[in-house]
């Protein structure tokens, strides 16, 4: 047995960006992060947050990203929240400068893509061929994963069940991102960063599926990456995550 003491991970705080009113998904996200050993801070639209005091960030689901962010006019009737768009954009810009681990869920994954110059399909409903488009809170949607990927290492199998609440999807992929999951109609279900640090976007809502270990591990993987990054920063080294 080694005589060297084991390094202790410091406590971490993960920011959860969401709408003005906190709802069940945000409470479930906070629960998942706390179960994985992290503290949380809920961030409402318009809030001024020093992201350097956070160790990771979750961009949660919600209203559609306004199409003006990717150079289009609205093609569907939707309740946009431009203030939240602005807040999430600012949080993500700060997180990227600091190399913080970032998880984007549904809208959050779409915002990650748009932030990096990508675009969205504003309505996937008429484009589905192999699957019917209707909301699924249960994991009844088949999602296929890329094996050699962060998401592929987190999840227990190359094909998983996921839920589906979205009506928009990634169209043109943003810079320094790659597709790591698709559904049976080949709509993008997962993206991640190509340059090494922990940035992951999933189109489904894993917070509703915490009873499944694989979906729960998405949150614990984020917390682990945040702990490694904070430990590296406290020790004066470059981020490991």
């Amino acid at each position: 047995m080694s005589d060297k003491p084991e390094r202790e991970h410091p406590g971490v705080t993960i920011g959860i960006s969401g709408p003005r009113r906190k709802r069940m998904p945000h409470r479930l996200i906070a629960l998942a992060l706390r179960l994985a050993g992290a503290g949380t801070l809920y961030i409402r639209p318009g809030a001024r947050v020093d992201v350097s005091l956070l160790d990771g960030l979750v961009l949660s689901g919600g209203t559609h990203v306004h199409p003006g962010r990717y150079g289009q006019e609205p093609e569907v009737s939707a309740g946009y929240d431009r203030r939240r768009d602005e807040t999430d954009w600012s949080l993500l810009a700060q997180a990227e400068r600091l190399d913080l681990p970032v998880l984007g869920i549904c809208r959050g994954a779409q915002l990650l893509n748009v932030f990096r110059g990508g675009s969205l399909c504003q309505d996937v409903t008429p484009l589905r061929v192999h699957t019917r488009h209707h909301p699924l809170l249960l994991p009844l949607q088949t999602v296929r994963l890329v094996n050699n990927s962060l998401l592929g290492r987190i999840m227990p199998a190359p094909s998983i069940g996921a839920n589906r609440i979205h009506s928009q999807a990634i169209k043109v992929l943003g810079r320094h991102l790659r597709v790591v999951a698709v559904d049976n109609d080949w709509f993008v279900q997962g993206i991640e960063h190509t340059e090494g640090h922990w940035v992951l976007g999933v189109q489904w809502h894993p917070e509703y599926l915490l009873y499944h270990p694989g979906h729960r591990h998405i949150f614990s993987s984020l917390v682990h990456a945040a702990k490694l990054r904070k430990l590296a920063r406290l020790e004066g080294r470059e981020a490991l995550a």
Side-chain angles (χ1 to χ4, degrees):
M1 181 180 295
S2 172
D3 292 330
K4 294 181 180 180
E6 291 187 7
R7 296 183 303 172
E8 292 187 2
H9 285 313
V12 300
T13 301
I14 308 293
I16 304 170
S17 180
R20 183 182 62 82
R21 186 176 179 183
K22 187 188 296 186
R23 299 183 183 277
M24 181 59 70
H26 314 103
R27 299 182 190 281
L28 290 172
I29 292 169
L31 173 62
L33 295 171
R34 288 197 298 270
L35 289 173
T40 62
L41 174 69
Y42 189 71
I43 305 171
R44 291 176 169 82
R48 296 185 178 182
V49 176
D50 184 352
V51 177
S52 68
L53 300 178
L54 299 176
D55 304 298
L57 179 66
V58 176
L59 301 174
S60 68
T63 58
H64 295 170
V65 177
H66 194 279
R69 288 277 171 181
Y70 47 95
Q72 295 182 15
E73 295 294 329
E75 298 174 358
V76 297
S77 297
Y80 300 110
D81 186 342
R82 289 187 182 238
R83 196 177 191 195
R84 184 179 177 194
D85 288 349
E86 186 64 36
T87 300
D88 284 358
W89 201 270
S90 175
L91 291 170
L92 184 54
Q94 294 179 68
E96 293 232 333
R97 283 197 299 271
L98 295 165
D99 285 340
L100 289 188
V102 177
L103 170 63
I105 296 174
C106 196
R107 165 200 155 89
Q110 295 167 7
L111 189 111
L112 277 171
N113 187 63
V114 172
F115 180 83
R116 291 189 156 271
S119 66
L120 305 178
C121 174
Q122 295 189 43
D123 185 9
V124 301
T125 306
L127 303 178
R128 288 197 174 275
V129 176
H130 302 292
T131 57
R132 293 171 55 198
H133 192 84
H134 55 84
L136 297 169
L137 279 179
L138 295 175
L140 300 177
Q141 172 184 230
T142 299
V143 172
R144 288 171 286 167
L145 312 177
V146 173
N147 288 330
N148 185 26
S149 67
L150 169 62
L151 186 59
R153 291 189 292 273
I154 290 172
M155 303 303 287
S159 180
I160 63 169
N163 51 28
R164 181 175 66 227
I165 307 175
H166 64 97
S167 61
Q168 296 194 325
I170 289 170
K171 185 175 182 181
V172 176
L173 193 64
R175 297 180 300 272
H176 307 302
L177 296 172
R178 67 168 178 154
V179 176
V180 293
V182 295
D183 64 19
N184 284 340
D185 278 313
W186 293 94
F187 288 119
V188 176
Q189 291 290 319
I191 56 173
E192 61 188 47
H193 206 285
T194 61
E195 297 185 335
H197 68 282
W198 205 105
V199 175
L200 174 64
V202 294
Q203 187 58 71
W204 68 92
H205 286 259
E207 69 271 23
Y208 284 119
L209 304 173
L210 298 181
Y211 50 89
H212 282 280
H215 297 284
R216 199 163 61 244
H217 288 165
I218 291 174
F219 297 100
S220 60
S221 178
L222 169 64
V223 172
H224 179 68
K227 288 180 177 179
L228 289 180
R229 183 199 170 279
K230 184 166 188 176
L231 187 62
R233 179 171 59 84
L234 292 175
E235 293 180 351
R237 297 178 288 108
E238 293 183 356
L240 299 176

